[in-house]
């Protein structure tokens, strides 16, 4: 693999990455255990204070380190990493709200048409172990996976957002499973909106409000800023 541009399984798909990012709460630490091309991270315009990436493929690890020079990039087994973390939470997560963990594991074989999508596969048993560890996490966690009985059953108490994704003339229903409520503060607002039209409407509304604000006298600007700060 020479670069990450054509990495299989990436989430840089129009209509997909926007919904993912619009459900990522504000955080200080961003962490991926199945990083792959880390396409979601590359689209978040407000970087976290600390970025940690991990991929079991050592070749991918090297490419990630070259692309994300300010990140800590490791080459561990994801399930074992979660297990160790849950046994000693001081190793990674101090304050739940400060950490966002994104898990995009290799999909179960029976949920996809491409049976040779990943270099490193996960069995049904591996997925069960992964979900058991995820259920014990002390941080904000999002998992993306095609809708299936295993994930719906094991993550029944997690919030879920369904996404329709078109792959080679076939539509797949994939889900964002989140162990937190719908965020009221996002890490990145660049893709806010339920559709391309809605995002355009929000942008235009924002542009008009910003233009009005810019034309106000300085004391009126400060007055409004003070009022807004009181509301937060």
């Amino acid at each position: 693999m020479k670069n990450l541009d054509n990495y299989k399984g990436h989430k840089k798909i129009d209509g997909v990455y926007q919904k993912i990012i619009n459900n990522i709460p504000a955080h200080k630490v961003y962490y991926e255990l199945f990083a792959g091309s880390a396409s979601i991270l590359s689209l978040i315009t407000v970087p976290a204070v600390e970025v940690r990436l991990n991929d079991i493929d050592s070749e991918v690890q090297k490419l990630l380190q070259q692309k994300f020079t300010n990140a800590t990039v490791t080459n561990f087994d994801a399930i074992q990493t979660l297990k160790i973390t849950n046994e000693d939470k001081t190793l990674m997560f101090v304050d739940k709200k400060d950490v966002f963990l994104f898990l995009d594991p290799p999909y179960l074989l029976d949920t996809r048409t491409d049976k040779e999508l990943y270099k490193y596969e996960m069995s049904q048993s591996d997925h069960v172990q992964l979900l058991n560890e995820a259920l014990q996490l002390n941080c904000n966690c999002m998992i993306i996976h095609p809708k299936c009985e295993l994930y719906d059953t094991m993550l029944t108490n997690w919030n879920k957002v369904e996404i329709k994704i078109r792959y080679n003339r076939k539509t797949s229903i994939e889900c964002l499973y989140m162990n937190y409520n719908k965020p009221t503060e996002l890490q990145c607002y660049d893709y806010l909106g339920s559709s391309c039209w809605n995002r355009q409407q929000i942008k235009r509304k924002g542009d008009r409000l910003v233009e009005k604000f810019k034309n106000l006298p300085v004391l009126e600007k400060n007055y409004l800023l003070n009022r807004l700060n009181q509301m937060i």
Side-chain angles (χ1 to χ4, degrees):
M1 184 184 298
K2 294 182 179 180
N3 58 63
L4 299 170
D5 294 341
N6 298 316
Y7 188 90
K8 291 183 178 180
H10 70 83
K11 296 300 178 288
K12 196 174 182 178
I13 303 170
D14 192 43
V16 176
Y17 69 84
Q18 293 97 332
K19 287 189 178 180
I20 293 174
I21 295 174
N22 287 341
N23 282 284
I24 295 179
H27 54 268
K28 295 178 181 177
V29 180
Y30 178 95
Y31 197 19
E32 281 197 56
L33 283 176
F34 303 93
S37 63
S39 57
I40 294 301
L41 172 63
S42 68
L43 291 166
I44 296 175
T45 56
V46 181
V49 175
E50 183 178 349
V51 174
R52 304 178 188 180
L53 300 174
N54 177 79
D55 199 279
I56 197 170
D57 189 329
S58 59
E59 185 179 1
V60 172
Q61 177 199 14
K62 293 176 183 176
L63 293 172
L64 286 168
Q65 192 67 81
Q66 292 171 11
K67 183 175 181 179
F68 300 97
T69 55
N70 294 325
T72 298
V73 185
T74 53
N75 174 225
F76 301 137
D77 176 87
I79 298 173
Q80 288 303 310
T81 300
L82 287 181
K83 183 177 178 61
I84 293 170
T85 299
N86 284 327
E87 289 174 352
D88 184 359
K89 292 180 172 58
T90 61
L91 291 176
M92 190 184 306
F93 307 136
V94 178
D95 192 334
K96 177 177 178 178
K97 70 179 183 297
D98 287 339
V99 180
F100 173 72
L101 175 61
F102 182 49
L103 297 179
D104 182 13
Y107 293 169
L108 281 164
L109 274 171
D110 60 5
T111 65
R112 63 183 207 257
T113 55
D114 188 346
K115 305 303 182 184
E116 298 181 354
L117 184 60
Y118 306 105
K119 183 177 179 180
Y120 295 90
E121 291 284 358
M122 284 177 60
S123 66
Q124 177 99 358
S125 175
D126 291 332
H127 280 271
V128 171
Q129 290 182 61
L130 175 71
L131 296 179
N132 277 327
E133 295 300 336
L135 286 167
Q136 300 178 55
L137 283 169
N138 186 34
C139 71
N140 288 327
C141 177
M142 175 193 288
I143 305 176
I144 183 168
H145 190 275
K147 184 177 176 62
C148 66
E149 184 178 357
L150 175 64
Y151 274 70
D152 278 353
T153 301
M154 292 194 67
L155 302 178
T156 186
N157 292 323
W158 287 31
N159 290 310
K160 182 174 72 171
V161 173
E162 294 188 359
I163 307 174
K164 289 184 179 180
I165 305 179
R166 192 74 172 171
Y167 294 118
N168 299 322
R169 299 181 181 179
K170 185 174 181 180
T171 299
S172 171
I173 304 298
E174 301 192 5
C175 300
L176 305 180
Y177 297 92
M178 296 160 283
N179 67 348
Y180 51 88
N181 295 325
K182 186 172 181 60
T184 55
E185 183 181 359
L186 303 178
Q187 182 71 14
C188 171
Y189 292 92
D190 289 37
Y191 313 105
L192 187 63
S194 58
S195 66
C196 61
W197 303 113
N198 186 223
R199 284 189 285 276
Q200 188 177 61
Q201 289 175 338
I202 292 172
K203 183 181 183 305
R204 287 175 176 171
K205 184 189 294 183
D207 289 343
R208 290 194 298 270
L209 289 172
V210 168
E211 193 60 34
K212 281 185 178 181
F213 182 79
K214 285 166 58 178
N215 293 326
L216 289 174
V218 64
L219 287 177
E220 289 187 29
K221 288 181 183 178
N222 290 335
Y223 167 76
L224 287 175
L225 288 173
N226 184 61
R227 287 285 302 272
L228 289 170
N229 285 330
Q230 291 175 3
M231 292 172 60
I232 296 175

